[in-house]
Amino acid sequence: MSPRTAITSAPVIESLAERWSPRAFDPTHAFPEGALRGLLEAARWAPSANNTQPWRFIIARRGGAHFARITETLAGFNREWAVHAGALIVNVAETADAAGNVRPWAEYDLGQAVAHLSVQATSEGLHLHQLGGFDRDAIREAFDLEERLVPVSISAIGKLGAAESLSEVLREREIAPRTRLDLESLVLARG
């Protein structure tokens, strides 16, 4: 068991217990074309309201033009560490269909798809860190997204790197013990 394995009050599947969000990525790891297909398939098969599948992704492998465009939009510390990930995926919610019909559950459904992608990444020996610190309007402009396509988050994906490669502030966060609220504080009512 890894020191980063979640300590749970009931058994959970290994991919969930082992999943965590590092900032230290191996800058030498590269994804060949097609290597992210399993992660995207896991996202594709996530549940969604009326099976609308209102998620879209912008895939960018390190070294490519899309990757450079995305890193330019990152805010604060995110730019410092995320540039070492093997890939960045912009997670986009389709908040209305092509006819303009609103999809009120789009962001929720996108979250499920990204959660599935995240668990698949862990099962493949990869690490993923989701981030919200980026300029959404800059992403929208860089990829010419319609108004109904809303960039919600970015997932940095790759092989785990050395915590020592991070700045002191980020290194402290990287090696800090994992914590969560206890289960009882999350449950509002039981019947």
Side-chain angles (χ1 to χ4, degrees), residues 92-110:
V92 178
E94 184 183 46
T95 59
D97 66 18
N101 299 309
V102 175
R103 292 188 163 158
W105 308 112
E107 289 188 27
Y108 177 85
D109 289 346
L110 171 65

Side-chain angles (χ1 to χ4, degrees), residues 6-26:
I7 306 300
T8 61
S9 63
V12 299
I13 60 174
E14 186 177 344
S15 292
L16 290 175
E18 296 294 324
R19 190 222 56 80
W20 66 286
S21 301
R23 290 177 182 85
F25 285 97
D26 178 353

Side-chain angles (χ1 to χ4, degrees), residues 64-106:
H66 288 353
F67 194 93
R69 284 186 196 153
I70 294 168
T71 58
E72 287 299 314
T73 73
L74 299 179
F77 284 126
N78 290 335
R79 192 177 292 188
E80 179 183 330
W81 61 266
V83 297
H84 299 295
L88 297 173
I89 297 179
V90 180
N91 306 304
V92 178
E94 184 183 46
T95 59
D97 66 18
N101 299 309
V102 175
R103 292 188 163 158
W105 308 112

Side-chain angles (χ1 to χ4, degrees), residues 19-31 36 39 62 67 74 77-89 118 121-122 125-131 154-167 170-171 174:
R19 190 222 56 80
W20 66 286
S21 301
R23 290 177 182 85
F25 285 97
D26 178 353
T28 66
H29 172 259
F31 286 107
L36 299 170
L39 280 62
R62 191 180 57 248
F67 194 93
L74 299 179
F77 284 126
N78 290 335
R79 192 177 292 188
E80 179 183 330
W81 61 266
V83 297
H84 299 295
L88 297 173
I89 297 179
S118 176
T122 301
L126 300 169
H127 285 81
L128 183 142
H129 188 116
Q130 299 176 45
L131 55 115
I154 296 175
S155 299
I157 305 169
K159 292 284 188 178
L160 188 61
E164 297 76 31
S165 68
L166 298 170
S167 66
L170 293 178
R171 185 173 46 252
E174 190 82 352

Side-chain angles (χ1 to χ4, degrees), residues 106-189:
E107 289 188 27
Y108 177 85
D109 289 346
L110 171 65
Q112 290 201 82
V114 174
H116 280 62
L117 185 152
S118 176
V119 172
Q120 181 69 28
T122 301
S123 76
E124 291 186 20
L126 300 169
H127 285 81
L128 183 142
H129 188 116
Q130 299 176 45
L131 55 115
F134 67 99
D135 184 333
R136 284 158 180 74
D137 290 334
I139 288 286
R140 182 181 298 286
E141 185 177 324
F143 294 98
D144 196 28
L145 299 180
E146 298 174 44
E147 194 64 31
R148 65 191 184 92
L149 298 174
V150 179
V152 174
S153 63
I154 296 175
S155 299
I157 305 169
K159 292 284 188 178
L160 188 61
E164 297 76 31
S165 68
L166 298 170
S167 66
E168 184 177 346
V169 171
L170 293 178
R171 185 173 46 252
E172 287 176 13
R173 289 173 149 178
E174 190 82 352
I175 62 175
R178 291 183 69 188
T179 60
R180 287 290 191 270
L181 296 172
D182 63 86
L183 187 57
E184 286 66 32
S185 67
L186 299 175
V187 177
L188 299 176

